[in-house]
Amino acid sequence: MNKLAVVALGGNALLRNNEEGTIEQQEQNAADTVENLVHLIKDGYELVITHGNGPQVGNILMRNDAGEKMYSIAPMPLDICVADSQGGIGYMIERILRNVLNKHGIKKNVITMVTLVEVDQNDPAFENPSKRVGKTYNKAEAERLAEEKSWIFKPSTKEKNGFRRVVPSPVPIDIINKETIELLVNNGNIVIAAGGGGIPVYYDEDGNVRTVDAVIDKDRASGLLAKNIGADELYILTDVPFIYKDYGLPTQKKLEFLNYADTLNYLEIGTFAEGTMEPKIKACLEFIKNGGSKSVITEAKKLEDKSFGSKITMNYDQKDIEKQKY
C-alpha cells in the first residue's frame, strides 16, 4: 500500500505579498507549487492537499463591505465567506493540478471537497478573539462598526492608526468529512480538503450542525486531518526551507533533524515565532504524538531534493541522523 501524506500549502502558494492578486498571478503561483508535488506522487505517495485562504477570504470580506455600502447587497456571514474561498481556491488548485498531471503523463483523479471542521463552542478562544480578518479601518469606522455589528477590533499590525476586525480561532477537534476523504484517497484519488482550516461548526443539543463566526488555523486543521485519516506523513510547505532556532538573530541555527521531546522543549521556551512558525510546530507535534511517522516543514521547491526540509519524528537521535537518507 502506498504511503499517505497530507500536504498543507502555505498562503504564498497562491498569493504573494508583492502581488496584486490577479487570477493570472494566482494561477501561475499554483502551477509553480503543485509542480513540486509530482515528486511525491512519483515516489508512490497518495495525497490529500490542504491550503490557506487568508488573503482570499480577506478580499471576499472586503467585497462584502463594498456591496453592502454601495449597492445594499446583504453581506454574507464569515462561514459562507470561508466556504466561498474553499470552493474557489480548491477549484483553481484542482484545475491546475490536473494540467500538471497531464503534462507528466500521470492518470489520477482530483477532487475538491468543501470541508466542515468541528470546534468546541466553549473554547476559550471565543472569549479572546485574536485572528485579524478583512480590511483595515480608521478609528471612527471601527467604532461605528463595533456599535452596529458588535464586531471586535484591534490595532492593525501593519498599518499605523488602523484597526482590523478580530474573530476567534478555536482549536479544531474533528474533521466532519474525514470518512469520505479517507475513502476517496484510499481509492487512489487526490483530495483537496480543509481549505483555510475548514468551516468551523459545532453540534447543538439536538445534534444539528451550527455555525460560528470564527476561523481555524490551517496547519492545526491539517495535522488533525492527517491524524483522522491515518496518514503516514505530514508536510507543511512554507516560504523557508528549514526550521530555525533564533530565526533572524545572530545566533540563528538550522534545525534539520528533530525528535518529539526536543521540539516540544523548543516550543515551550519560545524558540518559534508566535503566529507564524509556532502553529506549524504544534500541528506537527500533535500529529507525531498521535502516531504519525514523520512531519516535514520546508518550501515546495525543496521536495525534489531527498534531503529537504526540517523533519520531526518521535525518537530521532544522532545515530538515526547519520544513517538516515532522505
Side-chain angles (χ1 to χ4, degrees):
M1 185 175 178
N2 289 343
K3 284 188 176 181
L4 171 56
V6 171
V7 182
L9 307 184
N12 66 340
L14 294 178
L15 188 57
R16 294 167 188 170
N17 289 334
N18 60 343
E19 296 177 339
E20 296 177 36
T22 65
I23 190 61
E24 292 81 11
Q25 290 171 334
Q26 293 192 59
E27 288 179 346
Q28 184 60 56
N29 293 337
D32 293 342
T33 298
V34 301
E35 180 74 36
N36 293 283
L37 302 186
V38 172
H39 303 298
L40 292 176
I41 296 169
K42 287 184 175 180
D43 281 344
Y45 283 81
E46 302 295 347
L47 300 183
V48 174
I49 300 169
T50 67
H51 60 82
N53 72 340
Q56 291 84 0
V57 81
N59 289 343
I60 292 170
L61 288 168
M62 286 191 281
R63 291 198 290 270
N64 247 356
D65 292 344
E68 183 181 22
K69 183 182 295 183
M70 298 177 63
Y71 303 108
S72 299
I73 298 173
M76 293 294 102
L78 185 55
D79 63 300
I80 296 295
C81 296
V82 173
D84 283 350
S85 71
Q86 275 197 21
I89 296 171
Y91 152 71
M92 187 188 307
I93 295 173
E94 177 179 333
R95 187 178 70 80
I96 297 297
L97 179 55
R98 285 177 179 272
N99 292 342
V100 169
L101 294 175
N102 181 57
K103 182 179 77 172
H104 289 274
I106 298 172
K107 296 189 180 300
K108 269 187 171 292
N109 199 12
V110 186
I111 302 155
T112 300
M113 180 176 294
V114 174
T115 311
L116 283 67
V117 176
E118 184 183 0
V119 301
D120 182 351
Q121 62 177 317
N122 298 312
D123 189 301
F126 289 104
E127 300 299 320
N128 182 32
S130 60
K131 185 68 174 179
R132 290 166 174 81
V133 297
K135 64 177 289 187
T136 301
Y137 298 90
N138 62 38
K139 186 176 180 179
E141 290 174 322
E143 289 176 345
R144 175 180 60 81
L145 289 167
E147 177 69 23
E148 291 178 2
K149 298 177 179 288
S150 299
W151 287 356
I152 299 172
F153 286 86
K154 288 186 178 179
S156 171
T157 56
K158 295 182 179 180
E159 298 182 40
K160 187 177 180 181
N161 300 322
F163 293 82
R164 294 183 70 194
R165 180 187 175 191
V166 290
V167 298
S169 185
V171 174
I173 60 176
D174 193 23
I175 307 294
I176 291 180
N177 311 84
K178 60 182 181 292
E179 289 91 353
T180 305
I181 296 169
E182 185 175 7
L183 178 65
L184 288 168
V185 73
N186 285 341
N187 279 279
N189 304 288
I190 297 173
V191 183
I192 301 166
I199 305 164
V201 299
Y202 70 93
Y203 290 102
D204 67 15
E205 60 275 9
D206 297 318
N208 295 315
V209 178
R210 302 298 183 189
T211 63
V212 290
D213 260 1
V215 294
I216 300 172
D217 178 79
K218 174 264 300 178
D219 296 313
R220 298 293 296 271
S222 300
L224 177 62
L225 174 59
K227 181 192 81 168
N228 281 175
I229 65 174
D232 300 286
E233 299 175 7
L234 170 65
Y235 291 77
I236 296 180
L237 304 186
T238 184
D239 55 359
V240 292
F242 295 95
I243 302 168
Y244 294 90
K245 178 179 179 289
D246 302 333
Y247 183 71
L249 300 175
T251 54
Q252 176 176 303
K253 178 184 177 182
K254 180 173 72 175
L255 302 174
E256 185 173 359
F257 298 93
L258 299 115
N259 63 35
Y260 181 91
D262 287 343
T263 310
L264 182 60
N265 181 61
Y266 281 132
L267 180 68
E268 290 174 344
I269 64 176
T271 298
F272 307 115
E274 184 179 354
T276 53
M277 189 56 71
E278 182 187 60
K280 294 174 173 56
I281 298 295
K282 287 181 177 179
C284 290
L285 289 176
E286 189 69 16
F287 174 63
I288 295 298
K289 177 183 176 182
N290 286 283
S293 64
K294 181 173 68 176
S295 295
V296 179
I297 298 177
T298 191
E299 57 186 355
K301 65 184 180 182
K302 289 290 184 181
L303 293 180
E304 184 177 8
D305 180 0
K306 298 305 178 187
S307 64
F308 59 78
S310 295
K311 309 160 195 73
I312 304 172
T313 64
M314 182 57 78
N315 295 308
Y316 260 135
D317 61 28
Q318 188 60 38
K319 291 180 181 179
D320 293 322
I321 295 170
E322 291 171 358
K323 70 182 180 181
Q324 187 78 340
K325 294 181 185 289
Y326 285 86

